[in-house]
Amino acid sequence: MKTLVKTIAGGFAAATLAMSTPALADIEIYEDYEPAEEVVEMTLVKVDEGQFETYLEGLRSTWVAANQVQKDLGYIKDFAIYGVPYGENHFNMVLIVVFPDTASVGPSKERYMAFLDAYGKANIDQGNTTVLELYNKIRKIQGTYALRKVEMLK
């Protein structure tokens, strides 16, 4: 019986080792897969219990309004808010902004000045006040990540 247990344990260890050994990749960029041009910025937010609607209401007049102007100007492709419907997560809201390409993520004086003209300095100042006086009390940003879709070609 001890031999059988040792054989099974040895076989299990060998199988585990084989699965953990990196495989030689036979895949090449632009031949087998291609990274998308667009960049998705994903911000994970933990909104305090009972404050979800309060935060949404604030986002409508700040984050949503500013992103709509950027979308209208062609600086971003899209934006969205996702709620996390269940589970004990570290975050319960996800804010998404889709940029057309990497260059659009970076700073640009020209884009900023056009945005400022379209959105208005007063709206930016009001948004900053809302962040300081409300958002920082009812939510915590858990992280912001840049994602790029990988399209398999074969």
Side-chain angles (χ1 to χ4, degrees):
M1 184 68 165
K2 284 185 178 181
T3 305
L4 179 60
V5 171
K6 285 182 183 178
T7 303
I8 291 172
F12 180 72
T16 302
L17 180 61
M19 287 188 284
S20 66
T21 304
L24 294 176
D26 191 24
I27 191 166
E28 292 186 36
I29 189 167
Y30 300 116
E31 218 174 280
D32 299 299
Y33 74 96
E34 185 173 276
E37 287 291 318
E38 71 182 26
V39 175
V40 176
E41 181 183 83
M42 177 178 69
T43 301
L44 308 178
V45 183
K46 177 65 172 177
V47 181
D48 291 346
E49 190 172 325
Q51 297 298 320
F52 196 85
E53 286 79 11
T54 302
Y55 189 48
L56 276 178
E57 184 177 342
L59 287 176
R60 180 172 42 193
S61 62
T62 57
W63 189 84
V64 170
N67 279 311
Q68 187 61 56
V69 169
Q70 291 189 80
K71 186 175 179 181
D72 293 344
L73 291 169
Y75 299 160
I76 64 173
K77 289 177 79 174
D78 206 1
F79 62 95
I81 300 170
Y82 291 87
V84 179
Y86 53 83
E88 292 294 321
N89 296 312
H90 296 287
F91 59 93
N92 53 5
M93 183 180 288
V94 180
L95 306 176
I96 300 285
V97 179
V98 182
F99 294 90
D101 51 36
T102 304
S104 299
V105 177
S108 164
K109 183 177 180 179
E110 180 182 316
R111 284 194 315 262
Y112 178 74
M113 297 310 288
F115 170 76
L116 192 59
D117 286 343
Y119 190 60
K121 176 87 168 90
N123 286 330
I124 291 173
D125 291 342
Q126 179 57 46
N128 290 338
T129 300
T130 301
V131 168
L132 292 172
E133 294 178 3
L134 176 64
Y135 294 173
N136 288 342
K137 294 177 183 174
I138 65 170
R139 62 92 168 113
K140 290 183 179 62
I141 303 294
Q142 301 299 319
T144 298
Y145 305 91
L147 310 171
R148 187 181 307 276
K149 183 179 178 179
V150 175
E151 188 73 35
M152 299 303 290
L153 301 175
K154 294 181 184 179

